[in-house]
Amino acid sequence: MLQRQNLESVLLPIAALILALLIFGAFVSFSGKSAWEAWGLLFKGAFGDSFSLQNTLQRAAPLMLTALCVAIPARAGLTIIGAEGALVLGGFGCAVLPYFFSPPTGVMGTTLLLLAGSLLGALWISLVGWLYEKRGVNETISSLLLVYIAIALFKHFVEGMLKDPASLNKPSTKPLEESVRLGTIAGSDVHYGLLFGVVSCVLVGIWLYRHQGGFALRVVGGNMRAAKTVGINTSGMVIGACAAGGAFAGLAGAVEVAAVHHAANASIIAGYGYAGILVSFVARHNPFAIIPVAILFGGFGAAGSLLQRRMDIPDASVLVLQGVAFVLVLAFETLRGRTLPGLRRV
């Protein structure tokens, strides 16, 4: 017999997304355009051909990693919305490492660049956990404020003392050497960041549901007092969860620099950290579910340009869809336990 709770975890987010698409169609209709055409182009731009699919998968990679920055601390009972700051600093760390020493060529050099980004992201979000545990600072507020600080620091250095004189219209750091850039998978346009995202989600999911450390983290998030009673180091688990989530968001930023932009500039501040919040909530903070949800929302982002070309709708209109979806997902959570009354609990 299916558990009602598990079925609701699938049906409620799907219902929220369907309603969000209907509201988006109404929004398009009010502007004098065809809702049916918008829905068709939305999915055609995401999955209609190989080019669209590759664009979707490329956008999905950072969404998977930033969603983990929300999902892992959520299992410890924290609501972290600062993945954008960790992503930005992760890209910064990847780009500035060659300023201090010349990394070796090939895989070793690329690995060092990605580790630098992950480490900086981990340190940044672990600060949120430390403030929460040691000073009682609300993690949601502190993580959001740290995003603005991270972006300010990023722009201060990238557009200041670390600016490459050759970057005229778009202030950037010096471009990475071609030998340490992250390549693409099997000759496609999809970089290896997608592989990092999928593997990371799978490994984190296995750890959460099959390892005693993941069980301990879920106990902390479920009942911190009970966790302390049985001897779990709740403070260490909370800070560690924040550090792990920050490391994945930092990796997302490093991948964007190493594979897409090849230098740190304002282009990496593209909202992937904010979209990762939505992906994690739609996936109910389940690392396995993050993979398909990230692909779906990566597709919505990829379809924005097609909507602009074909229907003269601003490509940022997909942000309206994402915002409505986020509000509806949170609203539908209030229905949990009130739907499917005839289904037996097990």
Side-chain angles (χ1 to χ4, degrees):
M1 179 70 70
L2 288 173
Q3 295 186 28
R4 180 172 72 179
Q5 185 177 9
N6 290 341
L7 195 55
E8 284 180 334
S9 297
V10 175
L11 294 181
L12 288 179
I14 290 176
L17 290 176
I18 292 174
L19 183 55
L21 285 170
L22 292 174
I23 294 175
F24 178 74
F27 170 78
V28 171
S29 297
F30 290 150
S31 64
K33 309 294 182 180
S34 168
W36 288 104
E37 184 180 0
W39 289 327
L41 291 176
L42 196 61
F43 287 93
K44 181 179 180 181
F47 311 107
D49 52 37
S50 61
F51 175 80
S52 299
L53 181 59
Q54 290 181 73
N55 193 11
T56 293
L57 294 177
Q58 196 164 347
R59 291 170 180 265
L63 292 179
M64 293 178 194
L65 295 170
T66 55
L68 288 176
C69 186
V70 180
I72 298 174
R75 293 299 182 174
L78 275 65
T79 304
I80 302 294
I81 59 174
E84 184 78 3
L87 181 148
V88 167
L89 290 182
F92 177 76
C94 172
V96 302
L97 187 64
Y99 280 76
F100 298 98
F101 80 101
S102 297
T105 59
V107 175
M108 182 61 69
T110 306
T111 302
L112 289 176
L113 295 178
L114 298 181
L115 286 176
S118 295
L119 179 60
L120 203 52
L123 291 173
W124 195 249
I125 302 299
S126 65
L127 180 60
V128 176
W130 185 86
L131 288 171
Y132 174 83
E133 281 293 316
K134 305 303 181 182
R135 293 293 180 266
V137 179
N138 181 276
E139 77 282 1
T140 306
I141 295 174
S142 64
S143 62
L144 178 61
L145 293 178
L146 283 171
V147 171
Y148 295 102
I149 297 174
I151 292 175
L153 289 172
F154 176 87
K155 290 185 175 180
H156 173 75
F157 288 105
V158 170
E159 299 178 6
M161 64 179 68
L162 299 180
K163 177 184 175 182
D164 180 12
S167 60
L168 302 177
N169 297 326
K170 182 181 291 185
S172 307
T173 57
K174 294 179 181 178
L176 298 177
E177 295 291 336
E178 190 170 351
S179 61
V180 295
R181 295 176 183 176
L182 195 62
T184 56
I185 302 173
S188 67
D189 292 332
V190 182
H191 53 69
Y192 279 100
L194 177 66
L195 182 62
F196 294 155
V198 171
V199 171
S200 297
C201 288
V202 170
L203 292 180
V204 171
I206 293 173
W207 179 79
L208 274 176
Y209 299 112
R210 292 290 183 267
H211 190 271
Q212 61 181 8
F215 176 74
L217 183 66
R218 289 186 285 128
V219 171
V220 171
N223 191 322
M224 189 168 291
R225 181 176 296 180
K228 291 179 179 178
T229 302
V230 298
I232 296 176
N233 180 8
T234 57
S235 179
M237 294 295 287
V238 166
I239 297 175
C242 290
F248 286 116
L251 176 61
V255 166
E256 284 296 292
V257 168
V260 180
H261 304 291
H262 305 143
N265 54 55
S267 295
I268 72 170
I269 310 174
Y272 286 126
Y274 298 122
I277 303 170
L278 173 58
V279 170
S280 182
F281 271 85
V282 173
R284 300 263 316 136
H285 309 308
N286 184 321
F288 297 115
I290 282 174
I291 298 172
V293 174
I295 293 174
L296 176 64
F297 280 92
F300 288 162
S305 59
L306 186 62
L307 287 172
Q308 185 177 42
R309 293 195 307 270
R310 296 285 185 86
M311 300 183 66
D312 198 26
I313 297 175
D315 58 356
S317 61
V318 294
L319 298 178
V320 175
L321 172 60
Q322 293 182 3
V324 171
F326 185 58
V327 172
L328 290 176
V329 166
L330 294 180
F332 274 49
E333 282 297 303
T334 62
L335 301 176
R336 191 169 299 279
R338 303 179 184 179
T339 59
L340 309 173
L343 193 61
R344 176 186 170 191
R345 287 179 181 268
V346 252

